[in-house]
Amino acid sequence: MSISLLSSDSDSVIAEKLQYLGKGKVLYEPCYRPGISLVSIENPDHHNALSGKMMAELYRIVGHLEKDTNDNRVGVIVTGGPNKAFCAGLDLDFAGQYLKTPESISAMNKFMYGILARFSRLPLIAVGSVAGPAVGGGTELIAAMDFICMGDTAYLSFVQVRNGLPSPWGGARRLIERIGRKNTLRILGTAAKVHATDALQIGLVDVIVTDSDYSLVLESSVQFIQHFIDANGIKRMPWAVRSMKALVVQNEIQDTEAELMLIQSTLKRSNL
């Protein structure tokens, strides 16, 4: 069985086509803690890889966060749930079963590119809570975060080039902003596995938790956002923090259309 995703399909149409395909789920808790939402990626049998169903759920969660009018909300945490992995990127079982044509794969990549671009522009402090490995597309998800709290035994594995891909979901540009051109070329171009201490040294990770236990890494992520809410007894104005994030995003140099065209061109050459 396959589905036909077209490059001309709108994101909403692609979400409708994908919403029942594959396993796993993406859960959303809007009020996980005061001022903090939680997004959990859960597909434990596939190392939290993203199926079509999960992509559609993530699309709808981002839409909800964009429309959120709660001025008291300051941050959002993305976690791999209480599983061994953070996210292994694209669920290859789902892809092999349903994405049979290069156009369908290209449309799916464009869909995920748009979701992560929109997520990165949310007026919220976004923290990745990484207790286990992030591989391939999972590192693209990591790159869309503002900050990362990582367990000391977790790692990031940038296998895109090894699989004949560029950075299909927009992670390369965001990595350059975070860790610079040379570090980005090195870890993407060599398909590097980056361990927590190395990631901290180059500025890719912000906090290392001495135990990779899921609950401890998640609590560290909560405490990190808490500094934007109330630090040393001095409360921040949530609406001002949201406005600050929006201002930072507005002033970033963005050429996403040109980047997307380059990614699509490279994927065609790879017959992917």
Side-chain angles (χ1 to χ4, degrees), residues 73-150:
R73 197 176 325 282
V74 169
V76 56
I77 297 170
V78 179
T79 175
N83 305 300
K84 292 183 178 180
F86 174 76
C87 178
L90 175 65
D91 186 333
L92 297 181
D93 284 352
F94 152 75
Q97 185 175 0
Y98 295 107
L99 303 179
K100 300 290 189 180
T101 68
E103 184 173 15
S104 288
I105 295 174
S106 178
M108 178 275 298
N109 281 323
K110 183 179 178 182
F111 179 63
M112 281 302 302
Y113 178 98
I115 291 172
L116 295 186
R118 289 165 54 207
F119 180 87
S120 71
R121 294 193 291 262
L122 289 170
L124 298 168
I125 304 301
V127 175
S129 178
V130 184
V135 179
T139 63
E140 304 270 341
L141 186 58
I142 287 290
M145 305 296 152
D146 297 313
F147 303 98
I148 300 168
C149 295
M150 190 171 180

Side-chain angles (χ1 to χ4, degrees), residues 144-199:
M145 305 296 152
D146 297 313
F147 303 98
I148 300 168
C149 295
M150 190 171 180
D152 60 352
T153 62
Y155 62 84
L156 312 174
S157 188
F158 296 83
V159 298
Q160 291 89 322
V161 170
R162 189 189 307 163
N163 295 331
L165 295 168
S167 176
W169 299 349
R173 174 176 55 80
R174 286 185 280 270
L175 281 175
I176 292 170
E177 294 168 356
R178 176 182 283 267
I179 62 175
R181 184 172 183 268
K182 286 185 178 181
N183 283 324
T184 299
L185 280 173
R186 179 173 60 83
I187 65 175
L188 289 183
T190 62
K193 178 186 287 188
V194 183
H195 294 277
T197 52
D198 296 327

Side-chain angles (χ1 to χ4, degrees), residues 39-100:
V39 177
S40 299
I41 301 167
E42 300 192 9
N43 189 3
D45 293 338
H46 294 260
H47 306 288
N48 287 343
L50 296 172
S51 64
K53 172 180 178 289
M54 295 169 72
M55 292 177 184
E57 289 169 349
L58 185 58
Y59 167 78
R60 294 192 174 96
I61 289 169
V62 171
H64 180 85
L65 287 168
E66 286 176 328
K67 296 174 183 176
D68 183 21
T69 58
N70 183 356
D71 281 340
N72 290 319
R73 197 176 325 282
V74 169
V76 56
I77 297 170
V78 179
T79 175
N83 305 300
K84 292 183 178 180
F86 174 76
C87 178
L90 175 65
D91 186 333
L92 297 181
D93 284 352
F94 152 75
Q97 185 175 0
Y98 295 107
L99 303 179
K100 300 290 189 180

